[in-house]
Amino acid sequence: MARATLKVETLADAGPRRVRRPMDLVRLCFLLVLLALLIVLGVFAQGTMSGSSEDLARALNHLPRALTHVLSFVAGLLMIALPIGYMIDMLVQRSIRLLLDAVTAGVIALGLVWTLGKAVTAAGGPLYDSLRLTSTGVATAHVDTYLAAVAAFGVAGGMTRDVRWRWYYAGTLIVYAMSALAGAQASLLALAVSFVAGTAVAVAFRFAIGAVDKRPGAQRIADVLVDRGVRLVRLSYLSDHTGPYRQFTGVTETGSRLHIVVLDRDLVPSGLAYRIYRVLRVRREVARGPTLSMERAAERRALLAMLAERAGIPTPALVAGVPCGPDAIVLAHEFVDATPIAATAPVLRDAQLIELWQGVSRLHESRVTHRELTPERMSVDDSGVVWVASPTDGTAFANNLRINLDRAELLVTTARLVGARRAVSVAHEVLGADGLSAVRPLLQPVGFSQDTRVALRHNRQLLPSLMDELDRRLASPPPEPSHLERVRPRTVLMIVALIIGGYLLIAQLGSVDLATVFASTHWEWAPVVLAASALRYVGSALALTGFVRERLSFGRTVLAQLAGSFTGFVTPASVGGLALNVQYLRKAGVSTAGATTSVAVNQAFGLISYLVLLVLFGVASGTSTRSDLPIPGWAFIVLGVAVAVVALVMALPRGREWVRTRIMPTVREVLPRLAYTATRPVKLLQAVGGTLCLNGGFIAALYASVAAFGGGVPLATVAVVYLAGGAIGSAAPTPGGLGAVEAAISAGLVAAGMPGASAVSAVLLFRLATFWLPVPLGWLAYAWMQRHDWL
């Protein structure tokens, strides 16, 4: 046989002595959920648990009494003999590390479950009763610490994975549980909680420190490949590889080299949490579900490799696939001696890129996708052929959407290598205009692999330049992006904002005696509050128009500001409004750079006006009333820290470089817009008048709300309170500054001499008119503008 005639030289894989198994994290999550479910059943379904205990006890009571005593004696003997016997076995096999793991996990489980029992005893309640009461109504220990320790010992020591011991382990625990129930020594819930808690402790311990590495070594892998007919003479471990699986380089008798990947069962679910997130976030065509089976992972890799080779794409051929024991599968591919394509990017020729596209097109004609067409998976050999690594995440029998997603990623990859213009030119030659038109709506980061998304985050100009080049080449209006997401972050934010907002509103209403307060309210001020709230949208539209050179529809601009009240509700203060204004200006015919700059200038001018108004009204407030409006000490601390941070940044060379590269370009873009507005009287009037109208609307609404509840606070003081509270709300991370604005303005009004209940009521009326009421109206405006393609 080949194995008898060949001697394989193996370089021991210097992998870790311990390995974290992703499957352990899955098991731990499942056990924690199960433990929580058992606790919930103990608290809310005490009758169900006691009924289950009674049913089991009734079934066991049919056993003769003598047999019950024998069962109890045997169970106790087995529970002592099982860990002792396994410890002796591990000592004989010299598995000292595994023995230490088992003992440590058992001791930890013993301590934690004992602590859990003490906590339940101190808390009392339904859970305590459910854990203690047996089927006969006798009160027993509410947790079984020894059962938890034995369960943890067996799992951490690998007893459940050892074919010689797993049945002894399971049988011992079953006999022990039957004995405890038959003798009314423990409740069913107590046994279940103790076992699950002990197992969870062992799994968490094993995942934290890593399991002792018992994977097949290099010699075992070489042996199974030689038995398969792969005539190896040398096998060496690749220590600099990426990915969860071990990789080796093999040399055969003929001198050819092989690239060998070992799929270990416990490492197959690597990245499980991320894959689950992707499946929930995007459509199933964009991201496939996680693979938990080693056999399925190996079958997928082998199938895709053979289909890719058959399609004629330059990819390493699959030489052999063979199991290596029950927990590993070895896949051997041809080794391609080539240079990473990123290193050869400066000298890549169009002909090479065309051949690459043609090979991928042949793969797609076979209805097979790769899904990892990134520079990290490509290389160029000495003859100039571009090789693509065997697909591991692709799909057989792919539909058109998956194929076009593959093409979109390859287009981005070639743009990363040779620039957008050459990339589009080469792709156009192979795909034609129709092919590029199908790819254009899919140029979204969410549809790409993780490597490509990371690259796009580091080069934010790449995708816009690629889309601009595509639009120029196709000479047609850009299509709407395809919907690749199942759940958008905006939707999640909206739901969270509704929950937070409802909670805060209920909490605020609960702190006020509404009946008493509303009985003395001057409701004639309510129309003034609403009119002042509406005035700020006119002012916001005027201010934005003042910094835009292009002609805008004033009605649409006002509608856009109203729509901003909805986007501001589902995002932190001001963020949603900024993005919406940029999108509105782009739809109105303003260039992307012009729209961004105009919005930035508007915000900068608004901030400056805000500070000026705060100072002016602060001075007016101090001279018009004897009551001082105290400035909290922390405000001076924050101001001092801010000044210190700015000074530190400017003192360091790296800080000055950051200001020069990040801040100064924005300043250079803003100054021409400011100069343009300053030299145009109409634009200047719009900008200044709109900003004053915006802030004036807020101040008038708050003043009218205060007057409605008989506050008697001067206008200048109300203005200072609003401006200070608005600044705090802008810094708050909650949607629309929820909570922070109400607290700050209420505190300011109380400090100005207004009664607490009246101050809270006035703020609620103010926020109802300026924040809550505009939200549904803003949603209608948002939907209307989207329907008419104004957003």
Side-chain angles (χ1 to χ4, degrees):
M1 294 176 60
R3 184 174 177 180
T5 58
L6 289 178
K7 181 176 177 59
V8 181
E9 178 188 0
T10 58
L11 300 181
D13 41 321
R17 294 182 180 271
R18 290 184 177 271
V19 58
R20 280 194 176 93
R21 299 168 178 162
M23 197 61 190
D24 279 343
L25 185 58
V26 179
R27 296 186 183 105
L28 179 59
C29 293
F30 171 76
L31 289 169
L32 292 177
V33 171
L34 181 58
L35 183 61
L37 180 60
L38 290 173
I39 293 174
V40 170
L41 287 175
V43 174
F44 299 103
Q46 186 177 357
T48 301
M49 297 307 301
S50 62
S52 301
S53 297
E54 290 176 5
D55 292 339
L56 285 172
R58 191 178 299 113
L60 294 172
N61 283 338
H62 293 294
L63 297 174
R65 197 64 183 170
L67 184 58
T68 302
H69 287 299
V70 171
L71 183 65
S72 178
F73 174 76
V74 171
L77 183 64
L78 288 175
M79 286 293 283
I80 296 174
L82 180 70
I84 294 176
Y86 193 64
M87 289 171 66
I88 294 173
D89 184 58
M90 285 190 285
L91 288 173
V92 171
Q93 296 186 14
R94 297 183 178 180
S95 301
I96 306 301
R97 289 177 179 270
L98 203 58
L99 176 59
L100 292 175
D101 288 353
V103 173
T104 304
V107 172
I108 294 174
L110 187 72
L112 286 179
V113 173
W114 180 83
T115 304
L116 174 64
K118 289 296 183 182
V120 171
T121 302
L127 179 60
Y128 178 68
D129 296 335
S130 297
L131 289 170
R132 294 188 70 215
L133 292 180
T134 63
S135 57
T136 60
V138 178
T140 63
H142 41 273
V143 288
D144 193 326
T145 54
Y146 187 68
L147 173 61
V150 171
F153 177 89
V155 172
M159 193 183 302
T160 56
R161 300 172 60 86
D162 193 324
V163 293
R164 300 172 303 150
W165 285 92
R166 65 176 60 168
W167 295 112
Y168 294 120
Y169 173 79
T172 298
L173 295 184
I174 291 173
V175 170
Y176 180 80
M178 292 174 61
S179 169
L181 291 172
Q185 299 169 357
S187 68
L188 176 62
L189 183 62
L191 293 174
V193 167
S194 301
F195 172 75
V196 173
T199 306
V201 168
V203 174
F205 175 78
R206 189 170 63 189
F207 183 75
I209 69 170
V212 176
D213 191 1
K214 286 190 171 183
R215 299 174 298 176
Q219 186 62 56
R220 177 83 180 279
I221 294 167
D223 289 344
V224 297
L225 286 172
V226 170
D227 285 343
R228 179 65 174 78
V230 181
R231 304 180 67 81
L232 286 175
V233 296
R234 181 184 177 88
L235 185 68
S236 56
Y237 178 71
L238 289 176
S239 59
D240 58 346
H241 70 276
T242 58
Y245 304 122
R246 291 179 294 162
Q247 300 182 29
F248 298 82
T249 299
V251 180
T252 65
E253 281 184 328
T254 60
S256 60
R257 300 172 65 188
L258 298 176
H259 177 234
I260 298 165
V261 179
V262 182
L263 276 65
D264 297 294
R265 186 179 301 278
D266 287 324
L267 296 183
V268 167
S270 294
L272 178 66
Y274 174 75
R275 285 191 176 276
I276 292 175
Y277 161 75
R278 288 283 291 171
V279 168
L280 295 175
R281 170 80 190 279
V282 298
R283 293 169 55 180
R284 63 183 181 87
E285 291 87 353
V286 180
R288 67 176 181 85
T291 301
L292 300 180
S293 166
M294 176 187 68
E295 290 77 11
R296 290 192 62 184
E299 289 168 1
R300 172 186 286 273
R301 283 172 171 254
L303 173 64
L304 292 174
M306 290 187 289
L307 290 176
E309 182 184 1
R310 182 178 178 181
I313 183 174
T315 187
L318 179 66
V319 176
V322 57
C324 186
D327 296 320
I329 292 178
V330 181
L331 299 177
H333 297 263
E334 290 181 347
F335 184 88
V336 178
D337 190 8
T339 305
I341 195 171
T344 63
V347 295
L348 277 177
R349 303 186 307 275
D350 286 354
Q352 292 173 284
L353 297 177
I354 290 174
E355 290 178 2
L356 171 62
W357 270 103
Q358 289 173 343
V360 172
S361 295
R362 290 193 296 271
L363 184 69
H364 291 162
E365 288 171 3
S366 302
R367 313 307 294 184
V368 179
T369 59
H370 193 285
R371 296 304 288 129
E372 291 181 304
L373 293 171
T374 63
E376 293 79 10
R377 304 278 289 168
M378 298 179 187
S379 55
V380 182
D381 63 15
D382 293 338
S383 60
V385 176
V386 179
W387 289 80
V388 180
S390 295
T392 60
D393 206 38
T395 308
F397 316 110
N399 57 20
N400 289 335
L401 176 58
R402 284 174 168 160
I403 289 174
N404 286 324
L405 284 168
D406 234 18
R407 290 174 174 174
E409 183 150 43
L410 182 56
L411 183 61
V412 173
T413 292
T414 52
R416 290 171 58 187
L417 296 171
V418 299
R421 178 167 296 182
R422 283 184 63 190
V424 171
S425 176
V426 169
H428 185 269
E429 185 168 343
V430 177
L431 299 179
D434 292 340
L436 286 182
S437 298
V439 168
R440 173 64 176 82
L442 301 175
L443 290 176
Q444 306 173 49
V446 72
F448 300 140
S449 65
Q450 188 173 14
D451 288 338
T452 300
R453 294 199 303 275
V454 171
L456 291 176
R457 282 197 292 268
H458 287 87
N459 186 359
R460 297 186 180 276
Q461 299 302 318
L462 178 63
L463 202 57
S465 63
L466 187 59
M467 291 189 288
D468 290 342
E469 186 63 30
L470 273 174
D471 295 340
R472 187 189 65 80
R473 170 78 62 166
L474 296 174
S476 60
E480 289 293 326
S482 299
H483 295 294
L484 302 180
E485 298 169 290
R486 293 180 189 268
V487 180
R488 296 187 176 185
R490 183 178 65 192
T491 304
V492 177
L493 285 173
M494 189 189 324
I495 295 173
V496 173
L498 285 170
I499 295 173
I500 295 175
Y503 174 78
L504 293 173
L505 182 61
I506 291 172
Q508 291 167 4
L509 291 175
S511 63
V512 179
D513 185 0
L514 297 178
T516 303
V517 174
F518 285 167
S520 58
T521 302
H522 303 284
W523 289 109
E524 61 270 16
W525 285 97
V528 180
V529 177
L530 295 176
S533 177
L535 178 65
R536 61 197 180 92
Y537 294 108
V538 176
S540 181
L542 280 172
L544 180 64
T545 304
F547 294 103
V548 177
R549 298 178 181 179
E550 293 78 4
R551 186 178 180 83
L552 300 176
S553 168
F554 185 70
R556 292 182 189 176
T557 308
V558 173
L559 203 61
Q561 307 316 300
L562 180 59
S565 63
F566 167 70
T567 59
F569 177 71
V570 297
T571 59
S574 301
V575 175
L578 294 177
L580 184 138
N581 278 330
V582 171
Q583 181 66 13
Y584 165 67
L585 293 179
R586 289 182 59 192
K587 288 289 186 177
V590 182
S591 65
T592 302
T596 305
T597 304
S598 297
V599 172
V601 173
N602 183 30
Q603 286 296 114
F605 187 78
L607 177 60
I608 295 172
S609 304
Y610 200 93
L611 296 175
V612 171
L613 288 174
L614 181 59
V615 172
L616 293 177
F617 279 113
V619 173
S621 175
T623 58
S624 63
T625 180
R626 293 182 180 180
S627 60
D628 296 329
L629 192 62
I631 300 176
W634 58 261
F636 294 100
I637 297 175
V638 171
L639 181 61
V641 170
V643 172
V645 169
V646 172
L648 181 62
V649 168
M650 297 306 297
L652 297 175
R654 183 171 295 182
R656 292 194 296 270
E657 177 65 19
W658 180 81
V659 171
R660 187 183 66 81
T661 57
R662 297 292 182 89
I663 304 299
M664 292 310 297
T666 304
V667 173
R668 284 192 288 269
E669 291 179 359
V670 166
L671 289 178
R673 291 272 171 175
L674 285 174
Y676 172 80
T677 301
T679 56
R680 302 294 193 282
V682 175
K683 290 290 183 182
L684 183 61
L685 181 62
Q686 288 176 336
V688 175
T691 302
L692 294 176
C693 195
L694 171 63
N695 291 309
F698 275 113
I699 294 171
L702 181 58
Y703 181 78
S705 299
V706 170
F709 290 93
V713 181
L715 176 62
T717 304
V718 169
V720 173
V721 169
Y722 160 71
L723 294 170
I728 294 173
S730 298
T734 55
L738 274 173
V741 171
E742 288 84 352
I745 296 180
S746 298
L749 292 176
V750 171
M754 192 172 181
S758 299
V760 172
S761 302
V763 172
L764 288 179
L765 176 61
F766 168 72
R767 290 291 276 173
L768 179 66
T770 60
F771 180 75
W772 292 105
L773 186 60
V775 168
L777 300 177
W779 178 78
L780 293 175
Y782 184 83
W784 177 269
M785 295 189 73
Q786 279 198 324
R787 187 179 306 164
H788 289 79
D789 199 29
W790 297 339
L791 277 180

